[in-house]
Amino acid sequence: FEIVRTRCGRLIVYLTAETLRRPWCAGEITIAWKVHKRVIAVRHPSMIMPQRRDIEASELNMYLSSAEFKLIEYGITNDLIAIAYRWLLD
């Protein structure tokens, strides 16, 4: 996540059916939001917008596809992911 934090002028997020379910993508989106990076979201036709309840902090462990990947080790909490996802999708 350090590359997004320090070396990336803007982040291009290619939104497919699985992008927001991948923990690493969640982490990069969250870091971009947290450090005020410009983000360009490109929607693929396969992208289905998640339900608001799916991206609430309390539901993210079920929504993200890899429960064993612990973003908290990088200081990325479910609360931060939820805020970043709402920021990206609004």
Side-chain angles (χ1 to χ4, degrees):
F1 303 114
E2 197 59 28
I3 289 177
V4 172
R5 184 185 324 268
T6 62
R7 293 185 174 174
C8 184
R10 72 180 51 143
L11 181 69
I12 298 173
V13 180
Y14 190 55
L15 293 168
T16 68
E18 295 298 314
T19 303
L20 297 179
R21 294 183 174 275
R22 295 188 174 155
W24 197 263
C25 295
E28 289 183 340
I29 292 165
T30 302
I31 293 300
W33 165 79
K34 197 172 177 184
V35 298
H36 308 285
K37 295 290 181 175
R38 292 190 57 191
V39 173
I40 298 169
V42 179
R43 247 180 108 176
H44 184 271
S46 69
M47 172 59 177
I48 299 170
M49 294 296 281
Q51 297 294 317
R52 199 75 150 163
R53 68 178 178 273
D54 291 335
I55 58 172
E56 291 301 320
S58 61
E59 300 298 319
L60 276 169
N61 287 338
M62 298 296 290
Y63 186 75
L64 293 173
S65 62
S66 182
E68 69 273 2
F69 189 85
K70 303 294 185 208
L71 291 169
I72 193 69
E73 295 172 9
Y74 300 93
I76 301 169
T77 65
N78 283 358
D79 288 327
L80 292 175
I81 297 168
I83 293 166
Y85 277 8
R86 287 193 301 270
W87 167 76
L88 177 71
L89 298 172
D90 284 343

